[in-house]
């Protein structure tokens, strides 16, 4: 699944990232190819999907940081 450039820092996160990708694609109306070949996905669709996923990952990280910092304040 991952090549040298896109290897996961936390390999156990693979399933969660795949689920996030599927949810994002569904919300944006982008059809994920069952073959795994993305050559027929337009640049616009791929960019929208990547941007949405990045936005969601930033939100998740911010929530995590806010939760861990509030625990340290107590």
């Amino acid at each position: 699944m991952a090549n040298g450039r896109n290897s996961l820092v936390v390999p156990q996160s693979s399933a969660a990232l795949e689920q996030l990708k599927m949810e994002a694609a569904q919300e944006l109306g982008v059809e994920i190819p069952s073959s795994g070949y993305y050559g027929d996905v337009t640049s616009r669709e791929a960019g929208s999907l990547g941007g949405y996923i990045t936005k969601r990952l930033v939100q998740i990280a911010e929530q995590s940081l806010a939760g861990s910092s509030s625990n340290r304040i107590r």
Side-chain angles (χ1 to χ4, degrees), residues 37-54:
Y37 174 70
Y38 283 83
D40 296 327
V41 175
T42 68
S43 296
R44 183 181 195 105
E45 290 173 330
S48 294
L49 189 55
Y52 183 90
I53 290 170
T54 301

Side-chain angles (χ1 to χ4, degrees), residues 19-43:
Q19 179 64 31
L20 181 60
K21 179 170 64 174
M22 294 300 172
E23 289 173 8
Q26 186 175 16
E27 283 190 36
L28 296 172
V30 176
E31 191 170 328
I32 300 288
S34 59
S35 66
Y37 174 70
Y38 283 83
D40 296 327
V41 175
T42 68
S43 296

